[in-house]
Amino acid sequence: MARLVVVFVALTIASSAVAAPSSGFEQVVQLYSAEGSESCGPKLSIETPHCKIEARKNGYELRKYPEGQVWVETLVANSSYSAAVSVGFYRLFYYISGKNEKGEVIEMTAPVLVHPYEERGGYKVSFYAPSRFKSHKDLPKPMDKNVKFLVTKEHTYAVSGPFGGFPTEPDYEKRLKALKEALDKDDVEYNGEKVYYAGYSSPFEFVNRKQEVHLLTK
């Protein structure tokens, strides 16, 4: 049931996107049709973050991401996974759909990251800011005080995936457990608190969906 709720919410949000006069479906297609670029992870028609693949191992790969990448994020505290994904997606999607100080529509990117945040009993949900924004200062300021900017330092993720379907949190946790076991076997150190569930597929994709689990290495 949780899967259906998340998908329904995503579809509802997408159909209300703000763009040039056209049908709701066409508006979302426009947001998802940004020109692709060379990047790590699944190959899509929308932009994904650049990185360098350092190694491919049995069951995972190591990706190094450069410093200075900008993410738009929101914390949904004291929340279940399904509720946090719904609320977080709403906040961020409204921001890129024009709910910002400039009324600017920002193209959709991938992945959408969901980070379990135990300190506040909830989750952080993040969108990658298109690389045309060279700094967080170039982005329009959010009108929602719950929407923040994050500028990353150089870091390396161990990544499991991609895998398909509409995974729930237990599905992601199962993948995470297998990833940790593979890293332990290879003596790769990691930060068990820095876990990210990465979704690359639009709400309109019901087959050949792509998700990953990211775990920060030390």
Side-chain angles (χ1 to χ4, degrees), residues 110-129:
V112 176
L113 294 182
V114 180
H115 167 47
Y117 197 68
E118 294 184 2
E119 183 178 336
R120 297 289 299 278
Y123 301 81
K124 287 186 176 180
V125 183
S126 306
F127 283 6
Y128 173 62

Side-chain angles (χ1 to χ4, degrees), residues 61-83:
E61 67 182 20
L62 297 176
R63 299 180 190 166
K64 177 177 283 187
Y65 290 85
E67 66 177 346
Q69 291 182 336
V70 183
W71 291 77
V72 184
E73 70 173 19
T74 187
L75 169 64
V76 185
N78 304 312
S79 174
S80 67
Y81 170 78
S82 58

Side-chain angles (χ1 to χ4, degrees), residues 2-201:
R3 301 182 187 188
L4 295 176
V5 170
V6 173
V7 174
F8 175 76
V9 169
L11 286 168
T12 302
I13 298 166
S15 66
S16 62
V18 178
S22 59
S23 71
F25 178 79
E26 291 171 340
Q27 292 169 5
V28 176
V29 170
Q30 290 169 7
L31 288 175
Y32 276 92
S33 63
E35 183 178 353
S37 62
E38 182 179 355
S39 56
C40 289
K43 302 303 180 184
L44 307 175
S45 61
I46 56 177
E47 185 178 3
T48 57
H50 287 238
C51 74
K52 178 182 178 182
I53 299 177
E54 295 195 314
R56 288 188 171 92
K57 301 288 187 177
N58 184 21
Y60 67 93
E61 67 182 20
L62 297 176
R63 299 180 190 166
K64 177 177 283 187
Y65 290 85
E67 66 177 346
Q69 291 182 336
V70 183
W71 291 77
V72 184
E73 70 173 19
T74 187
L75 169 64
V76 185
N78 304 312
S79 174
S80 67
Y81 170 78
S82 58
V85 170
S86 299
V87 172
F89 196 101
Y90 261 113
R91 291 176 184 170
L92 300 179
F93 200 87
Y94 283 148
Y95 167 75
I96 69 170
S97 298
K99 190 178 178 181
N100 54 66
E101 287 192 352
K102 293 183 179 179
E104 180 178 352
V105 175
I106 300 170
E107 61 270 27
M108 189 69 192
T109 61
V112 176
L113 294 182
V114 180
H115 167 47
Y117 197 68
E118 294 184 2
E119 183 178 336
R120 297 289 299 278
Y123 301 81
K124 287 186 176 180
V125 183
S126 306
F127 283 6
Y128 173 62
S131 60
R132 65 185 177 88
F133 297 100
K134 303 305 180 184
S135 164
H136 70 282
K137 297 179 181 179
D138 298 328
L139 283 163
K141 293 181 179 179
M143 297 178 67
D144 185 340
K145 65 180 181 180
N146 293 302
V147 175
K148 312 289 184 182
F149 299 144
L150 171 69
V151 181
T152 62
K153 298 180 180 179
E154 183 181 77
H155 58 284
T156 299
Y157 283 139
V159 178
S160 171
F163 52 92
F166 289 92
T168 61
E169 187 170 34
D171 296 325
Y172 278 116
E173 290 173 342
K174 183 177 179 180
R175 295 272 179 172
L176 175 61
K177 182 176 183 292
L179 175 58
K180 288 181 176 179
E181 290 174 350
L183 294 174
D184 290 339
K185 183 178 180 180
D186 292 342
D187 294 322
V188 177
E189 295 185 357
Y190 53 84
N191 185 338
E193 296 182 356
K194 298 295 184 179
V195 179
Y196 301 85
Y197 306 144
Y200 289 85
S201 300

